[in-house]
Amino acid sequence: LVLTAAGAAIGGALLPTGITILGATLTGAAIGGAIGGTVGGIIDQMLFAPTIRNEGPRLNDLHMQTSTEGAPIPKVYGRVRLGTQVIWATKFREVKSTQSQGGKGGGGGKVKTTTYSYFASFALGLCEGEIAGIGRVWADGKPLEISNYNVRIYKGMEGQQPDPKIVSVEGAAPAFRGLAYLVFEELPLERFGNRVPQISVEVFRQPPASGPRLEDQLKAVTLIPGMGEFVYASDHIFKDYGLGQTETENKHNKQGDVDLTVSLDQLAAQAPNLEAVSLVAAWHGSDLRCDHCQINGNVTDDVEKGGAALPALSV
C-alpha cells in the first residue's frame, strides 16, 4: 500500500499529462501506482511469505532382529548356513539433513525438506569357535556384499581381544572368547527399511587339532574349470555396454573380490598344508563336425588375462 501510494505521487509529478497508448490515455499517477504496487508485492513475498517445512519419517526406536535369552550356541561341522543372535547393540545414530528451495530472488515462500538417515552398530553371535572363516552373508534372505561395509569377524579363538567399537561405547567389554561373532559398525539402515536386517552367515568350521584329515594331507590340487574368459584374472575385468553401464566379468560372489582370489582364499583356509595349484588350460574345437573341426589352445602367454578366444565346443 505504501509503495502504491508513493508510486502514484511520483508518477503524477513526473507525468502530469500522462501518456497515450493505442488511443488510451494513462495518467502518470496510474502508471506510478502500478509500478509501486508490483515492487511492493515482490518485497512482501520476500519478507512475509511463509516457509513450508516438509519432514521425512523419523524413528522413535530401533527394531532389532530376534535375540533370545539363553539360546544355545551352535556347534558347526563342515560348512553351514547359520542364523545369528544379537549379543550387543548400540542406540541408532541419527543424521539430519535439510535442504531449502525457493525464496530469495525468485520470490515466494521457501520449502525446507528435512530427511533422516540412521546407522547402527551391533554384534552377532555365530557359533562355537574356532572357525576357519565365513563365506556368503545374507540380509533378509538377499546376498549382502560385506566388503561395502565396516564388518569385523572374530573366529572364536581363546586369545581374541575385545572389539574396539564395543570398548569405545561400553568402556569395558567382554572378548567373547570361544565364540565366533561378527561386528557391524555404523551399518546404514536405509536400504533395510531403517531397521537391522535378519542376518544369516555361511560358516566354515576350523578342523579339529587332533586326528588326520584329508584336507590336511592335500599337497596339490587342480583348479578347474579352465574354460571361460578371464577365469584366471586376478584383477577386476568389466564389460562396457556404453552410457556408463558396465558389468563385471570375473566376480560372481558377495565377498567383493574376483572369483579366483575368493576361491584360493577358501581353499587355503580349508586345506592349510596345500603347496601348489595346477591351472587347467582348456583346448577348444572350432566346429561340431569332426572333418571341419580345428583344435586350438586359445590361451595367451599371459594366463591371467587370457581365455578362450573361440566360443565353441570344449573337447
Side-chain angles (χ1 to χ4, degrees):
L1 294 176
V2 172
L3 292 182
T4 299
I10 295 173
L14 296 177
L15 298 172
T17 58
I19 59 175
T20 300
I21 300 176
L22 298 178
T25 301
L26 298 177
T27 64
I31 297 173
I35 296 174
T38 301
V39 174
I42 295 175
I43 295 176
D44 284 347
Q45 288 291 327
M46 294 175 63
L47 296 179
F48 305 111
T51 298
I52 300 174
R53 302 181 184 274
N54 296 326
E55 190 163 316
R58 190 175 185 184
L59 291 182
N60 293 320
D61 194 11
L62 179 63
H63 298 282
M64 300 294 292
Q65 69 177 60
T66 302
S67 182
T68 304
E69 181 74 20
I73 299 176
K75 190 170 185 177
V76 170
Y77 295 91
R79 180 175 65 178
V80 180
R81 177 175 175 174
L82 291 175
T84 56
Q85 290 279 344
V86 177
I87 59 176
W88 174 82
T90 63
K91 294 181 179 179
F92 61 82
R93 182 171 68 88
E94 181 183 81
V95 176
K96 180 179 178 181
S97 176
T98 302
Q99 294 182 340
S100 298
Q101 295 177 334
K104 296 185 178 181
K110 293 182 179 179
V111 178
K112 287 189 175 182
T113 302
T114 301
T115 58
Y116 300 90
S117 55
Y118 296 91
F119 302 83
S121 299
F122 53 93
L124 301 175
L126 297 177
C127 63
E128 178 183 299
E130 178 180 355
I131 63 173
I134 64 171
R136 294 166 291 179
V137 177
W138 295 266
D140 293 335
K142 298 179 180 179
L144 179 69
E145 191 162 332
I146 61 174
S147 62
N148 295 332
Y149 306 100
N150 190 0
V151 182
R152 291 182 292 278
I153 177 173
Y154 293 86
K155 296 182 178 181
M157 296 181 292
E158 292 299 330
Q160 67 189 16
Q161 297 300 310
D163 183 76
K165 177 63 177 181
I166 302 179
V167 172
S168 67
V169 173
E170 304 295 342
F176 300 108
R177 293 188 174 96
L179 175 69
Y181 69 100
L182 296 178
V183 175
F184 285 78
E185 184 173 345
E186 294 292 302
L187 176 69
L189 301 180
E190 181 179 4
R191 63 170 293 193
F192 309 111
N194 283 331
R195 61 176 181 81
V196 174
Q198 294 284 339
I199 302 290
S200 57
V201 181
E202 182 182 36
V203 176
F204 299 93
R205 175 68 182 181
Q206 180 74 15
S210 60
R213 298 185 319 130
L214 174 62
E215 295 91 329
D216 294 330
Q217 301 177 47
L218 285 177
K219 298 297 183 181
V221 299
T222 299
L223 184 64
I224 56 174
M227 243 178 48
E229 289 187 306
F230 314 115
V231 292
Y232 294 144
S234 59
D235 297 325
H236 289 273
I237 307 297
F238 295 94
K239 179 185 292 183
D240 190 354
Y241 293 101
L243 300 178
Q245 296 183 351
T246 60
E247 181 183 16
T248 181
E249 294 269 24
N250 61 332
K251 185 182 80 67
H252 303 88
N253 61 80
K254 294 300 179 180
Q255 276 75 11
D257 212 336
V258 298
D259 295 334
L260 177 68
T261 302
V262 172
S263 299
L264 292 177
D265 288 344
Q266 294 177 353
L267 180 62
Q270 296 181 56
N273 296 321
L274 201 65
E275 297 177 357
V277 176
S278 176
L279 303 181
V280 171
W283 289 68
H284 297 263
S286 61
D287 200 298
L288 293 176
R289 297 167 296 179
C290 291
D291 57 338
H292 291 77
C293 183
Q294 294 181 351
I295 304 299
N296 299 279
N298 292 311
V299 176
T300 67
D301 55 355
D302 185 357
V303 177
E304 287 190 348
K305 296 185 179 179
L310 296 178
L313 177 67
S314 177
V315 295

